[in-house]
Amino acid sequence: SSFARETGGGGGGGGTQEQHSPAATATPALAVDRLFHAQDSDAGSSSGSSSSGGTGSSSKGNGEGNFFGVSPPALASSTFLQNAQLSQYCSLGVGGPARLLVEVYTADELAAVLRYAANAGLPCVTLGRGTNTLFDDRGFDGVVAINCIDHVDHVEPTPNTAGKEYVESSSEFGYFRVGAGYPVNQLGATLSREGWSGLEFATGIPGTVGGAVFMNAGADGQDTAAA
């Protein structure tokens, strides 16, 4: 048996989350149809291109630009992009420009982006691999945080983990702390090869661990909550 937990947030803040909802019978599409407005004249940016495949304008540097009267946080791994095409970040290949888009690689970076969006008065959506996500061609008038938190840690069980009684022997159960941005199909395949059962169904699911936990993804009579 394997035990997968989400850290970093699949659609919200940091921390550890578990999902125990009934298995979803159909995958809902996330419709984001807020109107995209023209660039604000006070947005401090210089023309550039995205290092992630989507074109757009980038900030002068982490923490150096000034968006909407609030300085963006300095991130170690990426910069904020303006007008990045959301079609580059979803499996359906549709979607207009995002007012701001940034990749986050740690829970602290995600928390910093969420705080920035709140202080700037901008809506914020956290996106994994963009499967079954439908963006409006007019774009998204807010901040899109691309969740790239993709660590996998094999941890020792504790007697009171999540308020449950677990066996003390790690040879019987596998406990893994997994970043919400980690591909769930890769997780299922990797654990299966290592001899852990319970997530074999995930090898056919193209999303992330965070998305699978959030909606309790399942297939072939199995689901995430039962893993």
Side-chain angles (χ1 to χ4, degrees):
S1 298
S2 58
F3 179 77
R5 291 192 298 175
E6 170 195 272
T7 63
T16 300
Q17 303 177 21
E18 284 189 78
Q19 187 74 12
H20 296 288
S21 61
T25 56
T27 304
L30 171 63
V32 182
D33 61 357
R34 291 180 62 90
L35 286 174
F36 175 82
H37 302 300
Q39 295 185 56
D40 291 286
S41 58
D42 63 345
S45 63
S46 59
S47 180
S49 61
S50 168
S51 61
S52 306
T55 58
S57 301
S58 61
S59 69
K60 292 172 60 178
N62 284 333
E64 297 179 14
N66 189 302
F67 298 124
F68 319 109
V70 181
S71 296
L75 304 180
S77 306
S78 58
T79 59
F80 282 77
L81 300 174
Q82 290 184 283
N83 301 329
Q85 293 297 313
L86 292 170
S87 59
Q88 302 293 319
Y89 296 90
C90 68
S91 61
L92 298 176
V94 297
R99 176 173 275 204
L100 291 175
L101 183 144
V102 64
E103 295 179 351
V104 294
Y105 291 85
T106 68
D108 288 340
E109 287 185 349
L110 177 58
V113 170
L114 294 173
R115 283 194 297 268
Y116 165 71
N119 292 335
L122 295 171
C124 184
V125 61
T126 305
L127 189 67
R129 301 182 76 181
T131 54
N132 295 323
T133 303
L134 181 62
F135 283 102
D136 196 294
D137 284 339
R138 293 168 291 185
F140 180 65
D141 188 19
V143 180
V144 177
I146 306 297
N147 192 333
C148 300
I149 307 171
D150 62 354
H151 63 85
V152 179
D153 303 312
H154 193 176
V155 299
E156 289 296 323
T158 58
N160 296 317
T161 300
K164 297 180 179 180
E165 293 297 327
Y166 292 130
V167 297
E168 296 182 1
S169 173
S170 60
S171 64
E172 294 185 43
F173 289 90
Y175 296 83
F176 298 87
R177 186 179 297 275
V178 184
Y182 195 86
V184 69
N185 53 3
Q186 184 176 335
L187 179 66
T190 299
L191 294 182
S192 180
R193 284 194 299 267
E194 294 180 359
W196 300 107
S197 65
L199 283 178
E200 293 88 348
F201 71 90
T203 57
I205 298 176
T208 59
V209 170
V213 171
F214 184 79
M215 64 162 291
N216 191 27
D220 302 323
Q222 296 178 299
D223 60 71
T224 305

